[in-house]
Amino acid sequence: MNGSTEMLVVVLAAMAQALAILAGALLLAAVMTVVERRLLGLWQDRHGPNRVGPWGSLQLVADMIKILFKEDWIPPFADRALFVLAPAIAMASLLLSFMIIPWTPTWGVADWHIGLLFFFAMAGINVYAVLLGGWSSGNKYALLGAMRATAQTLSYEVFMGLSLMGVVALAGSFNLRDIVAAQQGLWFIVPQFFGFCTFLVAGVAVTHRHPFDQPEAEQELADGYHIEYSGMKFGMFYVGEYLGMVLVSALIVTLFFGGWHGPWLPPFVWFALKTAALLVLFVLLRASLPRPRFDRMMSFGWRVCLPLTLINLLVTGAAILWLSPAAD
Amino acid sequence: MELAFYASGLVAVLATLRVITSTNPIHALLYLIVSLLAVALVFFALGAPFAGALEVIVYAGAIMVLFVFVVMMLNLNAAVTARERAWLGPRTWVGPSVLAALLLVVLLATLQHGDIGRVIEGDTLTAKAVGMVLFGPWLVVVELVAMLLLAALVTASHVGRSVSREADSGRDGA
Amino acid sequence: MWTSLIPATWSQLRTLGMVFRHAFRKRETVSYPEEAVYLSPRFRGRIVLTRDPDGEERCVACNLCAVACPVDCIALEKGEAEDGRWYPASFRINFSRCIYCGMCEEACPTSAIQLTPDFEMSEYRRQDMVYEKEDLQIDGPGKDHDYHFYKVAGLAIAGKGKGEAQDEKPPRDVRTLLP
């Protein structure tokens, strides 16, 4: 009896922690929608949204009220079931990925030995959100956007996986806690610099962020795959994009910047600071770089990034074998 | 774990049935994806999360995406659905069903005689263990598969190139 | 492709740096209702009807502004005073149609109608955008401080006969042969 109550307490505590992380990730993604606009204003010599509340702090509330009360319209020519399902996939697959990220030495949902593979699996599922959303809309622009998104995500996921294999080889584990522990002395960005570069590019491409936002290019596709979406369904795609941004930033911090490691400050503060810096970098990329043509982007992925990751992996493997003491 | 195994197994079977009975090709493909995800969950329940994750990444995340991608562009309309419905008449599916039922009977009979007493244990298979097995006893097979895949890669690359070169030379000649 | 990779990467990084440095620049936009926007004296905004230096109405109801107006937003009626001066009995501008092109100001022979640096004229009802003469008339001479139409024009009014205007010679008597 006593044992079962203790078990119950442990389970409840873990659930509360998981819920807190879920809510935190969602809130961070929502706040990013406003922070991004303020930062874009900063870099474009404007003020950005600063009207609602003191210094625009309540802009998020205004946005939420607006998007929740908008008409949620499903086109009569759409495939209803898939049309409703697509935004759910977009949010759910990304939210689930937050499960594997170790925020502090004690906080985190799943301490899992296939952690990184789970992220790849969820990134693979996430493609369906765009694909089904674009197809079920029954709109040619949406379909074109979905086709671009699929081709882009598939190509960039190939070397996104390969770019992290160097990290996995150095740490000797897929578990993100082990990877962070292995960066106690030296952050992996130093030995895995090319892995970092390619993963950053792939991360931007997989989340369809600028400059790799061909799937939703306004000028050519009039917003791409979510052109027929409105109300909270569009909001889920929209927040999903920022969730992806937060997720990739947190993953880069975990994999290349030593996770929570850092002097003086508490671990979580270090993790938050590094993640915030990467989020700012994401916005800076949007503020400065133009969108490349779609075929050039694909050829960049296959002809530059893929060989780079393969060479990086080869050299990493050779170095590990060279430096390690001969086994048996 | 056994409950998860049987639940996801049931989902896999039902989803696969819907794959063959669904008249809309996209919906059929989606049921196939659900079926593959259910199979991945079966792997998780059996204690092989590495295989399960790879199943999701490779099958559900990459191969099926290409299937959906191609089918999506085929401009499917009501006529296609009507034709599918016509194809699904009883005359078409009675024969295969009888044959499949026979196979099911054979399978069940074999299971009855085989190791029915075994249960799912709680231990999980790590990625390291999978790697040790693949590059230990099965090294030759792995290398052979690698060569086969390389050959396929080279072939695909060659096929893709020769078409574009012909197009180029045709333009030059004209 | 590989040879251009390093300069291309450097170019992208340089772009990032240059855009980042914009964070410390002066803002181009102003916080409008709190901070006033600078409007040049020649800004074409709200239309007014001015008075001459003596405080009389300048408008002589010649209708040239209404003819020049490309969107036909000006309507007026002529009136005639006891002393012979013409004046607009009513003058109406529909500012919900006005495009602030300034052609009325250019057409006006008496400097009566002028555009001013003011654009803050929003209303909740469209009908309130129609300005009547008492809304348009101001007490000063506007941009043209000294101009006084009836003092330079040859028209005879009470207190000023023919040929008594500034720089005007007495009218020639066409019925005599003397020079």
Side-chain angles (χ1 to χ4, degrees):
Chain A
M1 185 63 201
N2 198 17
S4 69
T5 38
E6 262 177 39
M7 186 76 179
L8 192 67
V9 167
V10 169
V11 167
L12 282 180
M15 279 172 72
Q17 200 180 5
L19 276 179
I21 288 174
L22 191 71
L26 206 53
L27 191 69
L28 184 58
V31 167
M32 271 313 290
T33 61
V34 178
V35 169
E36 168 165 54
R37 278 182 281 161
R38 286 308 293 263
L39 283 175
L40 283 178
L42 184 73
W43 286 317
Q44 291 166 0
D45 297 346
R46 318 183 265 121
H47 294 281
N50 61 354
R51 289 284 138 179
V52 193
W55 297 285
S57 54
L58 296 179
Q59 180 71 41
L60 179 61
V61 181
D63 286 349
M64 290 299 285
I65 291 170
K66 178 191 160 201
I67 209 161
L68 281 173
F69 283 90
K70 276 208 166 187
E71 185 188 0
D72 197 351
W73 187 67
I74 298 179
F77 44 82
D79 190 321
R80 278 188 77 94
L82 296 184
F83 192 81
V84 176
L85 189 66
I89 298 175
M91 280 276 277
S93 62
L94 286 168
L95 275 178
L96 278 176
S97 306
F98 278 95
M99 185 161 99
I100 56 163
I101 290 175
W103 302 91
T104 69
T106 49
W107 276 68
V109 181
D111 186 5
W112 214 4
H113 65 88
I114 57 156
L116 208 48
L117 289 178
F118 184 74
F119 163 67
F120 292 137
M122 284 301 122
I125 298 293
N126 194 32
V127 182
Y128 286 110
V130 179
L131 196 59
L132 298 180
W135 180 77
S136 66
S137 296
N139 180 308
K140 66 182 89 161
Y141 290 120
L143 186 63
L144 284 172
M147 279 165 55
R148 280 191 184 186
T150 313
Q152 172 179 332
T153 315
L154 275 185
S155 317
Y156 277 68
E157 264 175 7
V158 169
F159 70 81
M160 182 166 83
L162 284 172
S163 67
L164 293 185
M165 287 307 126
V167 169
V168 172
L170 282 178
S173 170
F174 283 113
N175 188 336
L176 290 174
R177 282 194 185 278
D178 295 348
I179 291 174
V180 173
Q183 298 177 72
Q184 184 77 54
L186 183 67
W187 291 356
F188 277 158
I189 185 172
V190 180
Q192 284 295 313
F193 181 70
F194 291 107
F196 164 71
C197 292
T198 42
F199 183 71
L200 183 67
V201 171
V204 175
V206 166
T207 52
H208 312 312
R209 287 284 307 173
H210 305 244
F212 294 127
D213 65 331
Q214 272 84 1
E216 47 212 83
E218 286 92 351
Q219 293 88 340
E220 307 146 48
L221 296 181
D223 245 12
Y225 59 87
H226 49 52
I227 184 168
E228 295 289 353
Y229 280 90
S230 58
M232 205 50 219
K233 291 198 191 68
F234 169 75
M236 283 170 83
F237 271 122
Y238 188 62
V239 174
E241 183 184 320
Y242 289 89
L243 268 180
M245 207 165 115
V246 174
L247 177 67
V248 170
S249 302
L251 267 180
I252 292 178
V253 168
T254 311
L255 294 168
F256 293 102
F257 289 94
W260 61 74
H261 288 309
W264 306 306
L265 293 170
F268 181 72
V269 175
W270 269 114
F271 193 89
L273 278 179
K274 292 173 188 173
T275 310
L278 274 164
L279 286 172
V280 169
L281 177 70
F282 263 83
V283 181
L284 182 60
L285 283 175
R286 172 176 180 174
S288 27
L289 298 186
R291 183 188 304 132
R293 221 169 59 199
F294 185 67
D295 60 321
R296 290 201 178 162
M297 199 197 69
M298 294 296 277
S299 74
F300 176 72
W302 285 107
R303 293 202 188 140
V304 176
C305 289
L306 185 64
L308 203 61
T309 48
L310 286 174
I311 293 167
N312 179 44
L313 186 57
L314 204 65
V315 172
T316 309
I320 289 173
L321 286 183
W322 189 271
L323 296 176
S324 67
D328 64 11
Chain B
M1 275 301 161
E2 287 200 338
L3 184 66
F5 173 80
Y6 285 117
S8 41
L10 186 66
V11 170
V13 170
L14 290 180
T16 315
L17 276 178
R18 284 296 290 150
V19 173
I20 42 176
T21 54
S22 181
T23 49
N24 186 330
I26 291 274
H27 290 183
L29 276 178
L30 284 180
Y31 278 115
L32 186 52
I33 293 161
V34 171
S35 165
L36 286 170
L37 289 179
V39 172
L41 278 181
V42 166
F43 280 128
F44 276 100
L46 285 174
F50 186 70
L54 283 187
E55 169 103 10
V56 178
I57 295 171
V58 175
Y59 286 96
I63 294 178
M64 289 314 293
V65 170
L66 289 178
F67 273 60
V68 177
F69 187 78
V70 171
V71 172
M72 197 168 83
M73 286 192 284
L74 291 181
N75 193 19
L76 303 162
N77 44 32
V80 176
T81 314
R83 198 178 59 200
E84 285 277 335
R85 193 161 288 138
W87 281 349
L88 280 175
R91 260 156 49 103
T92 324
W93 55 258
V94 161
S97 305
V98 169
L99 293 178
L102 272 176
L103 280 179
L104 186 66
V105 169
V106 173
L107 181 69
L108 288 178
T110 322
L111 281 179
Q112 199 67 37
H113 290 293
D115 37 22
I116 192 157
R118 290 178 66 173
V119 290
I120 301 167
E121 286 120 25
D123 50 338
T124 54
L125 197 63
T126 61
K128 188 169 186 174
V130 174
M132 294 307 276
V133 172
L134 280 184
F135 286 89
W138 300 104
L139 182 61
V140 179
V141 180
V142 170
E143 292 298 328
L144 281 176
V145 169
M147 280 169 65
L148 194 64
L149 287 178
L150 184 66
L153 187 69
V154 170
T155 312
S157 165
H158 175 73
V159 169
R161 277 181 81 86
S162 65
V163 171
S164 69
R165 193 173 288 162
E166 262 173 23
D168 281 349
S169 65
R171 201 180 305 141
D172 288 343
Chain C
M1 192 153 194
W2 282 87
T3 48
S4 63
L5 200 57
I6 289 168
T9 310
W10 165 244
S11 162
Q12 307 292 314
L13 292 177
R14 187 164 160 273
T15 311
L16 289 185
M18 284 166 77
V19 172
F20 187 80
R21 284 207 301 278
H22 270 266
F24 311 108
R25 295 261 182 100
K26 190 177 156 296
R27 305 292 91 181
E28 292 288 344
T29 50
V30 291
S31 304
Y32 158 60
E34 292 94 45
E35 265 176 72
V37 186
Y38 171 72
L39 299 176
S40 76
R42 294 170 61 171
F43 185 89
R44 298 199 305 264
R46 183 166 58 89
I47 297 174
V48 294
L49 289 175
T50 58
R51 291 175 188 273
D52 60 29
D54 294 343
E56 300 290 335
E57 286 177 33
R58 267 181 177 155
C59 181
V60 295
C62 68
N63 265 309
L64 279 175
C65 50
V67 170
C69 181
V71 291
D72 286 345
C73 70
I74 303 178
L76 67 153
E77 287 171 321
K78 193 199 100 178
E80 197 164 345
E82 305 259 315
D83 59 358
R85 290 180 185 237
W86 289 17
Y87 71 97
S90 73
F91 202 106
R92 188 177 292 149
I93 298 183
N94 184 352
F95 278 112
S96 65
R97 296 183 72 172
C98 179
I99 57 172
Y100 304 97
C101 61
M103 288 200 180
C104 47
E105 186 177 10
E106 284 185 40
C108 185
T110 64
S111 268
I113 193 164
Q114 293 182 8
L115 281 81
T116 54
D118 174 25
F119 58 90
E120 294 161 323
M121 42 199 308
S122 311
E123 299 287 350
Y124 284 103
R125 293 194 310 129
R126 187 161 273 252
Q127 198 56 39
D128 292 344
M129 294 296 286
V130 178
Y131 279 40
E132 295 297 335
K133 186 180 168 190
E134 56 269 26
D135 307 320
L136 297 165
Q137 189 80 53
I138 63 168
D139 285 338
K143 296 177 226 178
D144 207 347
H145 301 289
D146 304 321
Y147 187 70
H148 198 309
F149 173 71
Y150 283 108
K151 286 204 174 143
V152 295
L155 186 70
I157 53 171
K160 189 202 81 168
K162 285 268 184 192
E164 291 173 15
Q166 287 171 10
D167 301 331
E168 194 185 20
K169 292 178 187 143
R172 182 173 294 275
D173 187 356
V174 294
R175 294 199 175 82
T176 170
L177 289 172
L178 294 172

